[in-house]
Amino acid sequence: MTTQDANRQDNTEQDYHRERVEKMIATAKTKAELQDLVRSLDARNMQLQHINRALQHQLHQHRKDTP
C-alpha cells in the first residue's frame, strides 16, 4: 500500500464517520439520543487517541533503532 493509498483510505474513513455523525445529529429527536451520540463520539475519540499513542510509540522505537 502506497502513502497515497493510505491517505485515500483515511479520507474515505473520515468521510464515512463524518456523514454518519451528521446523520445521527439530524435524526436525533430526544436529549437521550444526543447523549448517546456524545458517548459514542467520546468512545471513538478514546480509540483514536489510543491508536495515535501506539503509532507514536512505534515511530519513536523505529527512529531509535535506525542508525
Side-chain angles (χ1 to χ4, degrees):
M1 178 182 288
T2 67
T3 303
Q4 286 179 333
D5 291 338
N7 288 341
R8 194 173 305 119
Q9 183 177 359
D10 287 344
N11 289 341
T12 301
E13 186 174 337
Q14 289 173 4
D15 290 342
Y16 165 77
H17 288 292
R18 182 175 48 252
E19 289 170 7
R20 183 176 68 89
V21 169
E22 287 174 0
K23 183 178 179 184
M24 291 172 77
I25 290 171
T27 59
K29 293 183 176 40
T30 66
K31 183 178 176 180
E33 288 176 343
L34 289 173
Q35 289 172 331
D36 286 344
L37 175 58
V38 168
R39 281 198 245 358
S40 171
L41 292 173
D42 189 44
R44 174 83 175 138
N45 187 41
M46 294 294 285
Q47 287 177 328
L48 292 174
Q49 287 178 4
H50 177 74
I51 291 168
N52 189 6
R53 281 193 298 275
L55 289 172
Q56 287 177 353
H57 178 72
Q58 287 179 0
L59 180 61
H60 177 72
Q61 289 296 322
H62 177 72
R63 287 181 176 164
K64 191 169 90 173
D65 295 341
T66 304

